[in-house]
Each structure stands twice: as structure tokens, then as C-alpha cells.
Amino acid sequence: MTGRLRLEGWKRAYAVVLCLVVLAAGGIAWTQWQGRAERSVTLLGNWTGADEARFKKEVLEPFEAEHGISVVYQGSSAESQVLAADVEAGAPPDVVIMPGPGELAEYAALRRLKPLDGLFDPDHYGPMWTPRIAGGVYWVPVKVDLKSMVWYPAAVPEADLPALARKPGEWCLALESGATSGWPGTDWVEDVLLQQAGWRKYQDWATGKLSWKDDAVRQAWETWGGLVGAGDRKRVERALLGGFADPWGGERPTCTTQRLEHQASFVRAGGHWSAAEGRYVHSKALIPRARKDLTAWEVSGDLAAMLRDTPEARALIRYLADPGTARLGFTANRAVPEGAYAEDPAEGGNGSGKGGNGSAKGGTGSAKGGTDPTKGAIDATLRGRGTMRCWDASDAMPPAMRDAFHQAALRFLADPAELPERLAVLEELRVRHRGAAWLPAVCGES
């Protein structure tokens, strides 16, 4: 009996000791996790797939190694919806990278963003890229792209482009983009308005001061419809289902023999334009009734903003704005040395490993020494002083206006006869959102 009691007592003692060991181990593990959490930063972006992998490898991993801070990255093609849900739940990411300033301006007006003053040198960017709103600077460009571009194969003489542009079947058009489907169409309308009416009227429209029923706005829609064949059932069906990222690829490509594409600078790294030794002209050369006395370029950008002011979030913002940080594409940072894009050693473009656009004739790359004059020209347009640049209007508009614009582009392409109804709906929405956080300006040349 005594032996059994001793055995039971030993078992109880062992159990108590085991529990204490488990609790101690748990406490140590919790402390270590807590330590990692204190040296981590959460980041929400819209880069997924190959772009996400490249961003992590070339930007985030070096940051983690240099600062000892873990980056918890979430990429989503429905970034706006994810961010809205996180903010509503009281659990926003520390840092977000979003395409365009419109949605960020709304969060800044709601005091959801933290000012970035002191985290980077504002002289490295023009005021169009990093404006002061609501008492501070709330975003900094991480990656930018040039628009107002029409791409064509090197084999096509530039003199032939105006005649080709008058044939709807020569335009590659693909509008599918998940939750943001329609934006390649809004890019068209915006650019046509910019080239036909000039940047001042464009700015009034993009900042909510000009009616959607204005004759210049209506003419921009009609011009786009005429160029690309709006209302042509077969063509529209292909365009609505075609993915913008690679309309030339896949088993059933949206685009096959077309020789023109109105798209931003990111397409230069894609397989099609690489093989075609793609070149570009300013869109005003091909848009009917474009003003020849003015030159303005539409631009876009992925902007980093801070929702939680922590040392780790500040460190990440500083790193993303540092001119020495690896670039995923073009930059607006003037502190990056001039000619940084002249050398193109096996550059992967938009996540591609094909070495840029490889033109042996100096169009979008060169086989001799890796020089790339097209890349240098794009860089100069994006960063040079004295060049009029205007934000992609839909990216600069309040989210509700932007989303309705995307939907209107899809509907107009299918049935251009309904344009008056589409513009009336958009105008009603503009009036209803007069008190929203419209940007004070979207154009600038400094």
C-alpha cells in the first residue's frame, strides 16, 4: 500500500513538473513569437503570382536581411475590398501599396493614413507624385508607368500607323481584370480626352469639377468607340473576356494579328512585344482631333502608404523610398541616377525572365551591350522636368466614381447607343459625391 501511494505521489509530482515544463516552454515560445511580432510589419499589395515572387525576392528579402524585420505580405487582386474589410474590422495592415491616389486620398480624409513627413526627401519627387493633402504627405511611389502610348511592331513603318489606326481590327483590346475589369477602356477615354481637350479640361474632369455631359467628354467616348469598333458583337465579346495582362497568349488568345495596342509601359517586357521588337508613339499621333500644340502624358503608379505608425512600418517606408532600393520597374524618384535604365543586363521587366524587349535596332532594347534607348526615353518622360504628366483619371477619382467608370466602359463597348444614359448615370454620381475626397490637382510638370 505504501509503495502504491509512493508511486501515485511520484506520478502526481511528475505530472506537475511536466505541466510546469510545458508552461515554461510555452512561455518561452510566446515570448519569442512576441519578439518576432514586435519586429515585423504587415503589408498589403495587389501584386500576385510572378510579380509577388519578384517583389519578395528583390525588395522585401533584402529589407528583412538589412533591418531584421519580418515582412508579412498579402497580395490580392481584390485589394480595395480586402483593405476596406480590414479597416472596418479594426485590423488594417501596417503598410499598403495601392494603384493610384484616389482611394488613398479618401483614407487620408478619414484620418486612416499616417503622414510620411520626414520619412523621405520630398525633393526626390515632383509635387504631382507626392502632394500635400489634409495637412501632410501620405504616399510615396514605389513603381510608376507611362501611358498615352501606342505600341506597334518594329517591322511596321511608323508612316503607316495613321492608316492602321483607322481600322478597328488593327487594335488589340482586352478589358478583363478581375474586380477592376474595364480599366483598359477607361484608360482609352481618359487619354483621348487629354489629347483632344488639353490637360486643364482633363484636370477639371478628373477632380470632379467638369460634368460628364460636357461635349469634350462625350466626344472622347465617341472617338474611342469609333477607333476600336464599339458595338461589334464578336469583337466586343473577345475584348470583354480577354485578360489585359497577356491578350496574346493562352490557347484562345484575344489578340492575334493586330498591330496596335494602346497600353502602358509595362507591356514592353511581355512576350509578344519582346518578340515583335515593339516600339511606341505618343497616342496623340493617332487620336483623331488631338491637339498638336500640347504634349501631355498620362501616368500611373503604385503608391505606398502607412496605416499604423510603428518603427517597423517607418523603416519599410524609408526603404521603399530609398533611391538605392531595387526597382520593380520605372521610378519617379529623381535621386536614382540618370541613365539607370540604359543598361539592361537580363532585366526581367514585369516579372519576365526574357531580358527586356531585346530589339537589335534600338527600338525597345539592344543586343549590343545591353543598352535600351526606349527604356531611357520612358524614364526621361516619367522623371524629367518640364514634361506635363497627368494621373490616370480613374485611379485619381474617389472609389465609387472609379468603379462606376469601369462599368460604364464595359457597357458602352457592348452598346455605344446607350452613351447618353451611361453619361447621365456618371454625372448623377459625380454630383452625389461632390463632398468626397477629390484630389485638388492631377497634372504637373515639375
Side-chain angles (χ1 to χ4, degrees):
M1 186 66 151
T2 304
R4 184 177 180 182
L5 288 173
R6 287 176 180 170
L7 180 60
E8 293 296 330
W10 180 86
K11 287 182 177 179
R12 285 194 295 269
Y14 177 78
V16 170
V17 171
L18 183 60
C19 288
L20 291 174
V21 170
V22 171
L23 288 172
I28 292 170
W30 182 86
T31 300
Q32 290 176 337
W33 179 89
Q34 185 71 3
R36 286 198 300 271
E38 289 175 355
R39 298 296 295 166
S40 68
V41 57
T42 54
L43 172 62
L44 175 64
N46 68 347
W47 293 317
T48 59
D51 291 334
E52 176 181 342
R54 184 174 173 223
F55 180 51
K56 287 180 175 178
K57 180 179 179 180
E58 298 185 17
V59 179
L60 298 185
E61 289 178 9
F63 168 78
E64 291 176 324
E66 179 179 335
H67 293 273
I69 298 172
S70 175
V71 181
V72 181
Y73 176 80
Q74 178 185 1
S76 174
S77 59
E79 183 184 20
S80 294
Q81 293 81 359
V82 172
L83 180 60
D86 288 349
V87 169
E88 182 66 23
D94 299 324
V95 176
V96 65
I97 298 177
M98 300 201 77
E103 196 157 351
L104 292 177
E106 187 169 84
Y107 280 113
L110 295 172
R111 304 296 180 184
R112 298 288 191 176
L113 301 185
K114 307 302 179 185
L116 306 184
D117 301 80
L119 299 184
F120 64 90
D121 189 342
D123 290 339
H124 290 173
Y125 303 89
M128 190 214 76
W129 296 111
T130 55
R132 293 191 67 83
I133 62 170
V137 174
Y138 289 95
W139 55 76
V140 61
V142 175
K143 175 183 176 292
V144 299
D145 274 297
L146 185 63
K147 298 193 173 186
S148 300
M149 312 172 85
V150 174
W151 294 88
Y152 67 99
V156 175
E158 188 172 333
D160 292 352
L161 298 182
L164 292 178
R166 292 192 291 271
K167 301 176 181 179
E170 290 289 356
W171 289 100
C172 173
L173 184 64
L175 276 67
E176 195 282 322
S177 181
T180 58
S181 291
W183 69 258
T186 63
D187 272 15
W188 258 111
V189 175
E190 295 159 4
D191 196 23
V192 173
L193 178 62
L194 178 61
Q195 307 312 326
Q196 289 182 339
W199 70 267
R200 288 183 175 84
K201 178 157 282 194
Y202 176 92
Q203 178 163 265
D204 285 345
W205 170 68
T207 55
K209 300 179 182 70
L210 182 70
S211 170
W212 285 84
K213 296 181 180 181
D214 187 270
D215 287 344
V217 178
R218 176 188 50 76
Q219 179 177 280
W221 283 86
E222 292 173 345
T223 300
W224 173 49
L227 283 169
V228 302
D232 183 316
R233 183 175 177 181
K234 290 184 178 180
R235 177 160 172 72
V236 168
E237 183 178 347
R238 289 197 303 271
L240 295 180
L241 297 177
F244 83 95
D246 185 17
W248 310 90
E251 295 182 1
R252 299 180 62 186
T254 301
C255 302
T256 52
T257 61
Q258 291 83 357
R259 287 176 283 182
L260 303 176
E261 185 175 12
H262 180 270
Q263 190 52 278
S265 52
F266 69 82
V267 301
R268 64 179 298 281
H272 172 77
W273 290 115
S274 177
E277 298 181 358
R279 302 170 183 228
Y280 74 89
V281 293
H282 193 295
S283 59
K284 75 174 184 178
L286 305 180
I287 291 175
R289 296 181 295 280
R291 292 182 58 172
K292 306 304 180 184
D293 59 327
L294 294 176
T295 298
W297 298 83
E298 201 177 357
V299 297
S300 62
D302 293 285
L303 310 174
M306 188 167 61
L307 289 97
R308 296 182 67 246
D309 191 350
T310 68
E312 293 76 23
R314 285 172 164 263
L316 181 58
I317 292 293
R318 288 193 188 95
Y319 186 81
L320 293 174
D322 191 317
T325 296
R327 299 177 300 277
L328 291 182
F330 292 100
T331 180
N333 192 330
R334 292 196 179 115
V336 174
E338 290 185 13
Y341 298 104
E343 296 302 319
D344 193 13
E347 182 263 336
N350 202 33
S352 164
K354 296 191 176 182
N357 278 18
S359 167
K361 298 181 180 179
T364 54
S366 172
K368 298 180 180 180
T371 57
D372 189 341
T374 291
K375 194 179 241 189
I378 294 171
D379 177 47
T381 304
L382 285 167
R383 296 198 290 163
R385 298 182 186 277
T387 299
M388 180 57 68
R389 293 174 287 264
C390 297
W391 272 110
D392 175 312
S394 62
D395 286 351
M397 292 175 178
M401 192 81 257
R402 172 202 65 199
D403 295 344
F405 189 9
H406 289 169
Q407 290 298 310
L410 299 174
R411 291 174 178 271
F412 168 76
L413 192 65
D415 189 354
E418 290 188 357
L419 179 60
E421 289 84 350
R422 301 275 77 80
L423 295 180
V425 170
L426 291 169
E427 174 59 13
E428 180 183 347
L429 192 62
R430 180 191 73 88
V431 172
R432 194 188 317 154
H433 286 79
R434 277 177 175 167
W438 296 84
L439 291 173
V442 299
C443 297
E445 57 184 352
S446 60

